[in-house]
Amino acid sequence: MSEQQPSKTVRAVLGIDIGGTGIKGAPVNVDTGELLAERHRIDTPQPATPEAVGRVVKQLVDHFQWQGPIGCTFPAIVHNGMTLSAANVDQSWINAEAEAILAAATGLKLKLLNDADAAGLAEVTFGAAHGKKGKIIVITLGTGIGSALIVDGKLISNTEFGHLIFPQDTIAEKYCSAKVKEDLDLKWKDYNPRLNAYLQHLQLLFSPDLVIIGGGISKKADKFIPEMQGLRFELVAAELKNEAGIVGAALEAAATFGV
Ligand code: BGC
């Protein structure tokens, strides 16, 4: 007669990824990084004020009938629960008590962090940076450029390397984000030298051991990674793709609230 195994409790957190066009969420098993239900996406409201975004976050909570803690990303500097910048989002987020506003909108415990930092945490825990020592930079190429710095497995938050003045009189994200490629209709042969120059600049400043490229563009890694030259570090595509923000946010909340 087979003995029945006691069912193991799954440690789960609702991960939510707030972006300029969509707000996506799913419950995450924080031990494996697996999504426990299909991702749900709602259009970002326009204007995307903290209150309007709060209502959408609450809709996601209701969709999953969620009652536990929430981890949530935001595409700006997030320091001590406040959003301090708003490069590609509504200006009303500057100096907003964003974490408290979103927690109040849901009535649940909520941890807020920068979107690229979340992607970094996801990559270090389950992806391309897993088990790696040294200095790792995760760069997300999307509407803007996000960054995460990981040193010996530990995240150094809010690095904002997309806002480095580069190449001159502008910032890196206005020169080589995925949006710039699209807006200027740059072919890979015209875009790649821009990305290459930016990566060489990061190398000059930080001497990383590994750089991981995330964001939607990482699905086309074969179009740019083999073309990069003069780099002393290993360059790879992110492994978590679309789910990195959701998973990383869930991990941060799990660590914060002791899930
Ligand atoms: C913001 C960052 C964000 C990145 C990617 C930048 O414009 O300043 O905080 O991580 O876009 O969304």
Side-chain angles (χ1 to χ4, degrees):
M1 205 174 73
S2 75
E3 219 175 278
Q4 185 129 24
Q5 292 291 318
S7 68
K8 219 173 132 217
T9 343
V10 174
R11 295 197 310 132
V13 171
L14 180 62
I16 295 181
D17 193 11
I18 299 179
T21 55
I23 302 181
K24 295 154 276 179
V28 178
N29 177 332
V30 292
D31 289 315
T32 62
E34 276 167 329
L35 303 194
L36 295 164
E38 203 181 318
R39 225 161 53 116
H40 189 62
R41 179 191 185 280
I42 299 175
D43 281 346
T44 305
Q46 299 302 338
T49 58
E51 289 68 28
V53 168
R55 283 192 288 275
V56 172
V57 169
K58 172 76 167 85
Q59 275 177 269
L60 284 173
V61 167
D62 292 345
H63 173 83
F64 292 107
Q65 299 181 327
W66 192 254
Q67 290 176 348
I70 303 172
C72 190
T73 77
F74 197 75
I77 300 171
V78 181
H79 190 57
N80 294 334
M82 283 181 84
T83 38
L84 301 182
S85 64
N88 300 301
V89 291
D90 196 81
Q91 298 299 301
S92 54
W93 288 90
I94 297 176
N95 294 328
E97 290 284 356
E99 189 173 79
I101 291 170
L102 298 177
T106 59
L108 297 170
K109 285 196 232 171
L110 183 144
K111 176 70 186 173
L112 193 70
L113 77 165
N114 171 264
D115 55 357
D117 283 342
L121 281 178
E123 289 298 327
V124 82
T125 312
F126 301 115
H130 182 71
K132 304 231 166 163
K133 290 241 174 275
K135 210 184 299 167
I136 302 175
I137 296 177
V138 179
I139 293 292
T140 62
L141 299 172
T143 308
I145 293 183
S147 62
L149 174 63
I150 296 148
V151 182
D152 290 338
K154 187 169 175 359
L155 174 74
I156 316 293
S157 63
N158 289 312
T159 44
E160 294 290 335
F161 295 157
H163 286 249
L164 284 172
I165 306 292
F166 183 82
Q168 52 203 5
D169 304 328
T170 188
I171 58 172
E173 76 173 15
K174 301 239 177 289
Y175 181 67
C176 57
S177 67
K179 181 172 188 292
V180 168
K181 179 177 186 307
E182 203 180 298
D183 288 353
L184 301 183
D185 197 17
L186 298 175
K187 305 286 171 251
W188 289 105
K189 73 171 178 31
D190 300 314
Y191 173 74
N192 283 343
R194 291 184 177 222
L195 181 60
N196 203 158
Y198 174 52
L199 292 174
Q200 284 179 345
H201 190 59
L202 288 174
Q203 170 169 276
L204 178 73
L205 297 179
F206 305 108
S207 294
D209 298 295
L210 168 67
V211 173
I212 299 171
I213 306 285
I217 211 168
S218 61
K219 281 183 231 142
K220 306 231 170 87
D222 59 315
K223 302 280 189 206
F224 59 89
I225 288 188
E227 306 305 320
M228 297 295 119
Q229 291 167 5
L231 302 179
R232 284 182 269 112
F233 52 79
E234 194 189 344
L235 181 68
V236 300
E239 286 179 11
L240 276 93
K241 310 279 188 269
N242 276 339
E243 291 165 9
I246 292 175
V247 173
L251 289 171
E252 181 72 355
T256 305
F257 300 123
V259 174

